[in-house]
Amino acid sequence: MKFKIKRELLLESLNKVSKAISTKNLIPVLAGIRFDLKKTKLTLTASDNDITIQTSINSSDDFIIDKEGSIIIQGKYILDIVRKLPDEFIDIEVIDDLKILISTENSEYNLNGISEKEYPNISLEESKNKVIVESSTLIDIVNQTAFATSNEENKPILTGINFNIVGDILECNSTDSYRLARKVIKLEEESSETYNIVIPSRNIIEFSKIISNCEDKVEINIFSNKVLFKVNNLLFQSRLINGTFPNTSNLLPKEEMLTISTSLSAFYDVIDRVSILTSDKEKNIVTLETKDDYLILRSSSSEIGKVEEKMPITKDNKENIKISFSAKYMMEALKSFSTESVDIHFIGEIKPILIKSNEDETLTQLVLPIRTY
């Protein structure tokens, strides 16, 4: 294997696949990146058995192929070397089968490689039935739902985002049992298959970061135990979480007693200030009370003190409510909206609080109240 490549071109691809390099895996070969050089392109692959990332670079004036071949190079070292070299172009050559020579005009590195035969046989097949979404839409889905997934490994099904596809409707849900985030979008094309899968939130967050500057469509290929995302020359494969995701539709109330409308930023800022004096950083309980055309937010701590703030609101009727909730959960729910205003729907003092916005009907957030007596 022998080629000459522009440093920035190689670094961009290495940065993508390196997200899948295993640092704790017992299989040493998975700490490496597989280089497969053919006549017209270089394919880079990395995997930790949980996710697999593959990308390719086509030959061009910035990438000149001299001799085909395959080898595994230790990911940490090739990434550090390419990142820190000051030269515009880098030469990489395999000598004596498993010795790698990385050179520039003034630098020379010799690394020990691993035979590509030792790399696990990873299938990155595509399905016949693909689900197509805009990359920006997928990023929105992740940003607006992933925060509500559980961190508790004893409830593995809740550590992922549920993708439910029926016809041309994609419904995404995440919950940790104390809150719910739901995003519902209409697909450009109707899916010929019905899907109900759970993708580990950590994995799909990583994918959304990789495509953060992408403006292309993402192809989603769904299988019984894995999902493959394809965008341009990038393949990102993740395992799926086994099990049945809870029916979260039951959590969404059908009736309500009061809806208030308010400025999103103003409501967020008031909760943020009031929560300063909460003693328990996990629950950080704030109490909300409505009176006429304004609301009062309070918090107190026997060790620290107490605080009270008022702000104007618009109500849909003359009912009033007093309810307590986690400031952290409410602020995270509000942060998922990119709208000017929000509507807070109350059903009762011990019933879930719904957060919606007329400016974005695709998104619903739900926060359970906390009893303070």
Side-chain angles (χ1 to χ4, degrees), residues 300-332:
S300 62
S301 164
S302 55
E303 303 90 25
I304 306 167
K306 60 182 180 179
V307 59
E308 179 178 300
E309 277 212 34
K310 294 179 182 178
M311 67 173 290
I313 54 168
T314 302
K315 293 165 61 180
D316 70 338
N317 61 52
K318 293 183 179 181
E319 292 280 349
N320 282 308
I321 193 165
K322 186 176 181 180
I323 195 166
S324 299
F325 52 82
S326 161
K328 175 178 180 286
Y329 288 176
M330 181 62 78
M331 288 167 66
E332 287 180 342

Side-chain angles (χ1 to χ4, degrees), residues 240-253:
L240 297 178
I241 300 175
N242 292 326
T244 303
F245 200 80
N247 182 8
T248 53
S249 297
N250 297 334
L251 297 172
L252 298 173

Side-chain angles (χ1 to χ4, degrees), residues 157-188:
I157 199 72
L158 299 186
T159 63
I161 301 173
N162 175 224
F163 279 62
N164 194 358
I165 302 168
V166 180
D168 61 351
I169 299 299
L170 166 59
E171 180 186 297
C172 297
N173 293 288
S174 65
T175 181
D176 60 3
S177 299
Y178 303 103
R179 52 186 168 169
L180 167 69
R182 169 171 290 188
K183 179 82 171 177
V184 181
I185 64 161
K186 190 176 177 66
L187 299 168
E188 290 181 11

Side-chain angles (χ1 to χ4, degrees), residues 137-138 172 177 186 208 213 255 257 292 325 339:
T137 301
L138 190 61
C172 297
S177 299
K186 190 176 177 66
S208 72
N213 296 317
E255 73 288 331
M257 62 168 280
D292 300 325
F325 52 82
T339 55

Side-chain angles (χ1 to χ4, degrees), residues 36-50:
D36 287 304
L37 186 63
K38 303 297 183 186
K39 289 181 180 179
T40 58
K41 69 177 180 180
L42 170 67
T43 302
L44 304 177
T45 308
S47 178
D48 64 359
N49 281 336
D50 197 41

Side-chain angles (χ1 to χ4, degrees), residues 133-142 144 170 183 185:
V133 297
E134 295 286 346
S135 54
S136 57
T137 301
L138 190 61
I139 291 168
D140 283 344
I141 288 170
V142 174
Q144 294 175 324
L170 166 59
K183 179 82 171 177
I185 64 161

